[in-house]
Every structure is written in structure tokens, then in C-alpha cells.
Amino acid sequence: MERPPNLHRVSTPLDVHSAQARAAQLDALTDALTLRVLSSLAMDAEAGETTAGVAAALSISSDEAERRVAVLLDCELAITSPTNPKAFQPSSDAWTRYRRLFAPGTARPAVTKTPVVDWDGYPRVIRRMADQLARRYRTTFSTETTERYVAETYDELKGSSTGHQHVPMLVNRLVADRLAEVATMHMFPLVEVPEVLFVCVGNSGRSQIAYAALVAMAGDRVNVRSAGTRPSPTVDAMVTSALAEVGLVPGGAPKELQDSMVEMADYIVTMGCGDACPILPGRRYLDWDVTDPVGLTIDGVRQVRDHVLELVTGLVAEIDSARSHGLG
């Protein structure tokens, strides 16, 4: 199905501070030696590297290495290693925005053609797990690579003495571990894309607005889903019109909330659905007090839309902050 042309538009341009910060980063990366220093820091993404180590690796003076590291620290492309105050490593911003520049040899671990898995004969729960893991690790691995690891791991476990009910859980854990090992071998950080789930009653109004807004604001930095506890037949026409006014589109036909959606979500945002959403440990739960737009006039729907846009803006800031501090 063709992707709507405005799916990844942003609702507002960069603010002055963000533009200045990114311009400073780009300015630093136009200097070849500074870029080489950043790539040297990336050689050990966890422990980092000292300026002496950078100098030795690049055959430059210690003073030059210190100056370049200082530039990277100043524009927040590098941080001090949490385990060694004398070592430095690329920041989350550096990995997220510019890793293809300073790690040209590690573009994606799977560079050869990966066979497509024939899912006939595999349980639906394993196929669903493959889809979910592919979404979570899509910025590091291709879908084909992740699916191959899931299929191979399941094949290894299905004939073992492990109880059948525990196999999916073990597959999930082992595949995540194996992907981490491959990423480490290729000196590439295993980036998990956080999953956000918006839930309301009908999945025809509030959760559709939130879905559209987050897709536009965060783009590929998050996976987004929406669902309803009692889904309506279609998205409310007035909601679709109000979204179109600001260049947004809803997330498709209303869907019923499934337990698997909650299990995979990192952030779960509920809007008016009470206690219908199961509570699981390790998730960030938010309950937004948002008026149901269904049945309102167009002006009323616009007010709801603008309210949700404000809430989503705050959520994006929270997600980005958590990722920059290694929490998400």
C-alpha cells in the first residue's frame, strides 16, 4: 500500500535553539579530523576512548586530540564515559543522527542478500514476535535479518525439552541477545526503537489524533500504534478533516486493543478507557484527560486536536530525554 505523502511532515519548524545546536554539530563534522576523532571514540561504544588512545590511533598529537574532543563535547556529539572519567564516547545524538558518517564500515550488519523466511508451519505467536522484534530493531537490522534469527532460534528450541509454553519467551530473549552480539561484533550500537501505544475507547478520535501527531513529530525515532477497547467501525470524519487541516492523517481503520500490543509497548497512553488496559511492569503509563471529539462541532474537534498536539509534544521531549540518558 502506498504510504501517504504527508506521513512524516512535522507540525512546526525547528526552534532557534535546536537549529543552532544542530548547526554547531554539522559544523564540527565538516572538519575531517574532528570526524575521524569521533569515529575513534566510537570504536568502543561502551567504554569509550581516552585522548591518548585517540592520538595513538590517529597518529596525531595529544594536544590535537584534546582540542578535537573538546569540540565534540561542546556541541554534545561526545560525552564522558560513565565508567571512566578520562574516556569519552559518542553521545546518543551522534549515534542517532550521524552514525553513518563516522562508522562507514558498519552501515548494517546484514549487507548480503538474506533469504526470506517461509513462515508456513511456524506458530502465529512466533511470526508475530518476528514482526515485533523487526519493528523494535529496525534502525540497526533489516527485517529479513531479524526474521531469520527468530526462525533459526525457534527451530533450535522447538525440539528441546523446554516446555512449549516457554518457547516464545525464550526465543524473544535469545534473539535479542544474538542481535546484540552481532551489533557488538560490527562495532554498531543495538538501537531499540521505543514503542508507543495510544488507547481510547473507539480508536476513532483521540488515539487517532495522537497517533498522527507522534508519527509526524518523531518520525522513525519511535514505533507508534493505536487501538480501542471497543473500536468503532471507522475513524470519525470530523477528526480526519481536522487532522488534514494541519497536514496529518489518521493511522487507518480502528483496531481492537490486544494484549500483545501492551506487551510490546514501552509507553502506553490511555485516554478515557478506564481500567480496560492491562497493567504490566516495566512500562511507562500515562493517562491523558482529553475530551472525546466524536460528536463535537469542527471547532470543538480542533480544540481537542490542538490539546493532543501539545500533549504529544511533551511526550516526544520525554522520550528523547530518556534516550539521551540511556533510559529508553
Side-chain angles (χ1 to χ4, degrees):
M1 185 175 69
E2 184 178 357
R3 172 172 290 185
N6 57 0
L7 190 61
H8 293 306
R9 289 180 181 173
V10 296
S11 58
T12 58
L14 283 171
D15 59 79
V16 173
H17 175 75
S18 297
Q20 289 175 339
R22 295 187 192 184
Q25 292 176 344
L26 291 171
D27 186 55
L29 294 177
T30 58
D31 180 83
L33 182 53
T34 304
L35 182 57
R36 292 186 66 211
V37 169
L38 183 58
S39 70
S40 181
L41 299 182
M43 292 297 291
D44 190 332
E46 293 184 1
E49 183 60 276
T50 64
T51 53
V54 170
L58 302 183
S59 300
I60 60 177
S61 69
S62 295
D63 289 345
E64 191 67 61
E66 289 177 2
R67 282 196 293 271
R68 303 295 172 160
V69 169
V71 169
L72 294 170
L73 290 169
D74 187 56
C75 65
E76 298 183 349
L77 284 175
I79 59 173
T80 302
S81 169
T83 59
N84 182 359
K86 294 184 178 180
F88 307 93
Q89 57 191 178
S91 66
S92 60
D93 268 2
W95 282 117
T96 300
R97 295 181 180 140
Y98 310 113
R99 61 175 173 266
R100 292 177 187 241
L101 289 178
F102 62 81
T106 61
R108 281 186 185 269
V111 295
T112 59
K113 181 66 175 178
T114 302
V116 176
V117 176
D118 181 1
W119 290 104
D120 288 344
Y122 285 86
R124 290 180 60 188
V125 66
I126 298 300
R127 177 58 200 270
R128 186 167 63 245
M129 179 176 297
D131 291 339
Q132 292 168 338
L133 287 169
R135 283 165 57 87
R136 181 170 291 276
Y137 297 115
R138 61 185 166 79
T139 62
T140 306
F141 292 95
S142 68
T143 297
E144 294 78 10
T145 297
T146 304
E147 289 184 343
R148 177 170 59 85
Y149 275 104
V150 171
E152 290 176 353
T153 303
Y154 175 75
D155 290 339
E156 293 169 4
L157 290 176
K158 67 179 180 181
S160 68
S161 59
T162 303
H164 178 73
Q165 69 272 23
H166 298 302
V167 168
M169 179 179 63
L170 287 173
V171 170
N172 186 77
R173 187 178 70 192
L174 288 174
V175 170
D177 290 344
R178 289 177 178 180
L179 292 177
E181 291 174 3
V182 173
T184 300
M185 181 177 65
H186 286 265
M187 296 179 292
F188 204 90
L190 185 62
V191 179
E192 294 189 38
V193 180
E195 184 102 9
V196 179
L197 173 64
F198 293 109
V199 184
C200 67
V201 177
N203 192 213
S204 60
R206 290 165 290 189
S207 56
Q208 293 282 356
I209 297 172
Y211 172 96
L214 186 55
V215 166
M217 292 183 193
D220 290 339
R221 303 203 305 280
V222 297
N223 292 321
V224 191
R225 290 185 177 184
S226 70
T229 53
R230 297 194 302 275
S232 302
T234 61
V235 178
D236 184 75
M238 204 79 77
V239 167
T240 300
S241 297
L243 287 173
E245 291 176 351
V246 291
L248 301 177
V249 293
K255 295 169 286 293
E256 185 175 5
L257 178 66
Q258 304 291 331
D259 287 346
S260 60
M261 296 179 180
V262 180
E263 291 169 1
M264 284 301 295
D266 301 291
Y267 295 82
I268 300 168
V269 182
T270 57
M271 290 171 277
C273 54
D275 299 327
C277 190
I279 304 297
L280 299 177
R283 279 79 175 169
R284 172 79 165 106
Y285 285 86
L286 298 167
D287 185 37
W288 290 351
D289 184 11
V290 178
T291 301
D292 188 350
V294 177
L296 298 181
T297 65
I298 187 62
D299 286 338
V301 175
R302 287 170 180 149
Q303 291 179 11
V304 174
R305 176 200 66 197
D306 294 344
H307 182 200
V308 173
L309 289 176
E310 291 179 2
L311 293 170
V312 171
T313 300
L315 178 61
V316 171
E318 178 179 333
I319 293 173
D320 287 344
S321 177
R323 294 189 67 177
S324 67
H325 290 85
L327 302 176

